[in-house]
Amino acid sequence: MKDDLVKPLGLQPGRKWYEQPIPLAAAGIAAVAIVAGGAWYLTPAAKGPTVTATIDAPPKPAPPAADITASTKPAASTPALTEMEPTGGLSDLNGEVIIHDPDHDSPVQIASLPEPGLYEKTDQGPLPRVGPNGLRPLDAYSRPGISDSSQVRIAIVVGGVGIDADGTNRAIDDLPGEVTLAFAPYGDHLPAETTAALRAGHELLLQIPLEPFNYPQTNPGTNTLTSNATPAENLTRLHWFMGRITNYVGVVNYMGARFTADIGPLAPVMHEIGERGLMYLDDGTSARSRAAEVAGTTTPFVRADLVLDAELSAEAIDDRLNQLRAIARERGYAVATATAFPITIERLAAFAKTAADKGITLVPISALAENRS
């Protein structure tokens, strides 16, 4: 009984596998198979329909030419049509089928090196400026977007990028290029991370810490612009932030309910932003903000309609996205801000995948800036 339990299935104990008797019928079948196989191998293949299927997954793009020219350019792409080119009729169907995977489209890439005429060298870093020919950083570093007002457009800006490496990488990789990324100025790896974001096609904004009402108990960070500082002091702080990254289209407030409610300190800062060819995004967190009034006709301006993740749950974020969609359908466009939390990125990625099917066009923030041209 013990031998029956331990012996290999189909083998008799005491014999090796090559000592097992081969049944006559099995041997005959094996011989026929060998002869048939040889005949098949030696016989030329009959002429008939042949089709070659090719999946056009593009290789990982090399650093774009835009890194040299500072112009916005799409990466080299492969054929995007699913197509069959037969060489004959139905009786002689030969050709190639190209299977296109839209999930592997080569992304639009934005220049990651600043154009020489669009910055000035200072002790605080390279500061953006309008070029000799009137070209603004807002124009040079914007992502090509659909600005047709007949379409229902939504712009989403995800902030807090550049602080946490995992969150930054998820935002860059998981969100489509139409989603704008707002970088915090305090990150340790900003050059590499902004380059990755630009090459993935994301427009960039720079977050500027502004004074909240209960400052300094609530402190946005070093060099926060405050209401009691002189205009010169605030501009020095603003320039410190501006020199932290390059190739961004504008700035967005981080906190700042008190600062944006006071025209006195806000006006020179807003003027400087416009003079340097940038836009300003009001993140929509303060009902007292007078940023739109101060921006006037000199600084391209956008105000967000909603903060998507004030409550961090999938259900709450989805509800806010539904509200955003409703605003966009009623007005023709809508703008939202969010932070690069894992659950936020997850829900935004899911929303983006179905946006087009629901009649929504995602656009970069620059496409909705007033006084854009």
Side-chain angles (χ1 to χ4, degrees):
M1 183 67 179
K2 180 178 179 181
D3 290 340
D4 291 338
L5 293 176
V6 300
K7 70 181 181 181
L9 291 178
L11 298 184
Q12 297 180 11
R15 291 189 180 184
K16 307 296 183 182
W17 67 269
Y18 49 80
E19 296 175 339
Q20 303 299 314
I22 302 176
L24 183 60
I29 293 172
V32 171
I34 292 171
V35 172
W40 173 83
Y41 179 79
L42 295 174
T43 301
K47 185 176 182 181
T50 60
V51 174
T52 301
T54 303
I55 299 177
D56 68 333
K60 185 176 181 181
D67 279 347
I68 299 173
T69 65
S71 60
T72 304
K73 301 177 67 175
S77 60
T78 52
L81 295 178
T82 300
E83 186 174 276
M84 185 170 184
E85 294 286 351
T87 60
L90 293 176
S91 62
D92 188 20
L93 186 61
N94 295 280
E96 181 180 29
V97 174
I98 298 175
I99 302 172
H100 176 67
D101 183 359
D103 288 337
H104 292 89
D105 284 342
S106 296
V108 170
Q109 299 185 348
I110 302 174
S112 58
L113 295 180
E115 187 169 344
L118 296 184
Y119 73 94
E120 60 176 299
K121 296 180 179 180
T122 73
D123 293 339
Q124 295 163 309
L127 301 186
R129 69 177 179 186
V130 178
N133 59 354
L135 182 66
R136 301 173 299 181
L138 172 59
D139 305 313
Y141 307 130
S142 62
R143 174 189 170 94
I146 299 174
S147 56
D148 184 353
S149 59
S150 67
Q151 297 189 346
V152 179
R153 298 165 295 163
I154 285 180
I156 298 175
V157 177
V158 174
V161 182
I163 296 297
D164 172 69
D166 290 339
T168 297
N169 291 334
R170 279 194 296 266
I172 293 171
D173 297 336
D174 295 352
L175 296 176
E178 292 82 0
V179 174
T180 301
L181 302 183
F183 273 78
Y186 304 119
D188 294 329
H189 306 288
L190 293 179
E193 291 168 343
T194 54
T195 294
L198 290 163
R199 288 183 178 175
H202 298 282
E203 270 187 9
L204 305 188
L205 290 177
L206 173 66
Q207 288 185 300
I208 303 294
L210 304 178
E211 180 186 3
F213 275 113
N214 58 343
Y215 180 84
Q217 286 74 24
T218 299
N219 192 339
T222 303
N223 286 335
T224 293
L225 279 63
T226 62
S227 299
N228 60 3
T230 67
E233 289 172 332
N234 278 331
L235 290 180
T236 296
R237 296 172 187 177
L238 176 66
H239 291 164
W240 185 86
F241 291 122
M242 285 183 167
R244 296 286 289 154
I245 65 174
T246 63
N247 296 41
Y248 51 97
V249 298
V251 305
V252 54
N253 61 291
Y254 176 63
M255 299 189 186
R258 180 177 180 181
F259 190 87
T260 58
D262 191 342
I263 289 181
L266 178 61
V269 170
M270 187 69 73
H271 178 77
E272 179 72 359
I273 292 168
E275 282 291 302
R276 291 192 173 275
L278 303 171
M279 63 166 287
Y280 182 90
L281 171 65
D282 186 317
D283 71 358
T285 57
S286 175
R288 303 185 187 186
S289 174
R290 304 182 71 177
E293 176 184 350
V294 174
T297 60
T298 60
T299 303
F301 177 84
V302 181
R303 178 178 170 84
D305 300 294
L306 294 174
V307 178
L308 296 176
D309 52 1
E311 181 181 341
L312 275 180
S313 72
E315 294 76 14
I317 294 171
D318 288 345
D319 285 344
R320 298 294 271 180
L321 285 167
N322 288 333
Q323 294 177 40
L324 186 69
R325 190 184 294 114
I327 294 171
R329 285 176 176 161
E330 179 179 352
R331 192 177 61 195
Y333 70 93
V335 180
T337 59
T339 302
F341 298 120
I343 187 62
T344 302
I345 294 172
E346 175 189 315
R347 300 318 305 153
L348 289 183
F351 173 80
K353 287 180 180 178
T354 62
D357 294 336
K358 296 180 179 180
I360 299 295
T361 299
L362 291 178
V363 296
I365 192 62
S366 68
L368 298 181
E370 296 180 12
N371 307 319
R372 175 66 176 82
S373 59

